[in-house]
Amino acid sequence: DLVMSLPFALWFCLPTVGFLAPVLGFLYPRQLMSHQFWNTEQRCGVYEQEYRRRSKSYEAVLDLTRRQADILSKTATPKHKKQLAALDLYLRSCLNGSVAADGVC
C-alpha cells in the first residue's frame, strides 16, 4: 500500500498538481490510494476484478493437476489414490467459490 500511495502523496508537494491530487484520488482510488480509503462499493468492485483476473488460470491449474494425478495414479498405492481423490475434490470446490464468500461484499 505504501508503494502505491507514496507517489500520490508526493503530488501534494507540487504547487499546481497538489490541488488536483484529491480529485485524482477520488476518480482513481484503486490505482492511486491504498485500500483503507476505498468505500465498500469500490472495495467490492476491486475484489471482483481481482477474482475474475485470477480465476482465468483456475481451469488451467485444475487440468494440470488432473494430468499429474493421472500419471501418479498409475503407480500410486491405495493410500495415495485416496489423497489424490481428496485433492481433486478440494480443487473442484475452490473453482466453485465466489468473491462474496469472504463476507466483504
Side-chain angles (χ1 to χ4, degrees), residues 24-94:
L24 292 173
F26 181 74
L27 292 174
Y28 305 103
R30 180 176 180 229
Q31 292 82 8
L32 299 175
M33 300 181 76
S34 65
H35 71 278
Q36 290 91 351
F37 295 102
W38 301 341
N39 63 26
T40 307
E41 184 177 310
Q42 291 168 337
R43 188 173 297 181
C44 288
V46 168
Y47 289 157
E48 285 177 13
Q49 287 176 355
E50 185 69 16
Y51 175 77
R52 286 188 189 111
R53 184 184 67 81
R54 289 182 177 193
S55 66
K56 290 178 183 177
S57 64
Y58 288 169
E59 203 57 49
V61 169
L62 184 60
D63 289 339
L64 178 63
T65 305
R66 283 187 184 144
R67 279 189 264 138
Q68 293 290 329
D70 289 341
I71 293 168
L72 291 173
S73 67
K74 293 176 184 174
T75 60
T77 63
K79 177 183 174 184
H80 291 120
K81 287 183 182 182
K82 286 182 183 179
Q83 291 174 346
L84 290 171
L87 176 64
D88 187 51
L89 182 64
Y90 172 74
L91 290 172
R92 287 176 193 266
S93 67
C94 288

Side-chain angles (χ1 to χ4, degrees), residues 7-28 32-33:
F8 178 68
L10 292 176
W11 287 356
F12 280 105
C13 299
L14 301 173
T16 308
V17 181
F19 296 118
L20 294 175
V23 175
L24 292 173
F26 181 74
L27 292 174
Y28 305 103
L32 299 175
M33 300 181 76

